Amino acid sequence: MNTEKSGEASAKSSLRRELLAARALLTKEDAVRAAAVLADAALHLPELADARTVAAYVSVGREPGTRVLLEALRGRGVRVLLPVLLTDNDLDWAVYEGPERLLPAGRGLLEPDGPPLGPAAVLDADTVLLPGLAVDGAGMRLGRGGGSYDRVLARLTAAGAHPSLVALLYDDEVVARVPSEPHDHPVDAVVTPAGARRFVNPL
């Protein structure tokens, strides 16, 4: 079992390197164009169209862009929560009040300057947008390996909360298989510039 777990972890690391290398080849123009198309595709998703509170994140570097989407959600009157990274890698949350209210934080991140609401604030979300590097046909998501969102997902499970979990990716990051470990959670849907795909996950 330990050997199998080690093998999956190693496979995750290898896939992460491959996907990050592919993202690094994107030009700024590629990323900007993809962000606009991604936002349009995401806004048509019922999980976002009907949401009153969305836990999201600010994209950085060559991540699939979220800033157009954040503004569109706020413009609809949606309460958007953004993560605030804590020293132990857990996530606190604060309300998004616009791009001018974002401050540079550790690891190149941008965080809202409003008062922190506590890690449990994510329990109020109707939909949680998850960063990641890949999703497979079963909805298994590959994160960056920091563990922050593993804690968020564990917190939701422990509280019996079931928001829609949606990953935002580039088209070629929907892959045949993502290596998974027991603590990994499948997402309910993935949105790429090409559109949305849903997964049927057992409760």
Side-chain angles (χ1 to χ4, degrees):
M1 183 66 175
N2 287 341
T3 302
E4 181 182 343
K5 183 176 179 181
S6 175
E8 292 291 89
S10 176
K12 281 184 176 181
S13 296
S14 178
L15 185 56
R16 281 190 189 103
R17 286 193 297 270
E18 178 184 328
L19 293 165
L20 286 169
R23 282 188 180 179
L25 297 176
L26 292 170
T27 66
K28 184 177 181 180
E29 292 72 23
D30 290 335
V32 168
R33 274 196 304 271
V37 179
L38 182 70
D40 186 62
L43 288 168
H44 285 88
L45 197 68
E47 288 86 346
L48 286 178
D50 300 333
R52 292 162 298 174
T53 298
V54 173
Y57 61 96
V58 183
S59 56
V60 295
R62 292 295 182 264
E63 279 188 316
T66 63
R67 299 187 198 204
V68 176
L69 178 57
L70 295 179
E71 276 298 278
L73 289 171
R74 192 169 73 101
R76 282 181 173 178
V78 175
R79 180 173 180 251
V80 179
L81 303 178
L82 294 181
V84 176
L85 186 65
L86 300 174
T87 54
D88 64 355
N89 268 4
D90 204 348
L91 297 179
D92 202 331
W93 300 87
V95 175
Y96 175 61
E97 300 285 1
E100 71 283 355
R101 299 283 300 275
L102 296 174
L103 299 175
R107 302 187 187 177
L109 301 174
L110 290 170
E111 296 177 346
D113 65 358
L117 304 174
V122 72
L123 301 179
D124 294 333
D126 301 301
T127 299
V128 178
L129 300 181
L130 298 167
L133 293 170
V135 165
D136 68 15
M140 297 307 298
R141 164 186 158 271
L142 178 69
R144 283 181 171 263
S148 296
Y149 278 89
D150 290 333
R151 296 191 188 196
V152 171
L153 295 173
R155 182 169 290 118
L156 292 169
T157 299
H162 300 287
S164 297
L165 304 177
V166 179
L168 304 176
L169 299 173
Y170 293 113
D171 296 332
D172 58 359
E173 293 171 346
V174 180
V175 301
R177 179 181 178 274
V178 165
S180 63
E181 297 174 86
H183 64 266
D184 291 326
H185 290 248
V187 298
D188 299 300
V190 60
V191 182
T192 73
R197 176 177 176 181
R198 283 188 182 76
F199 307 100
V200 178
N201 297 315
L203 293 178

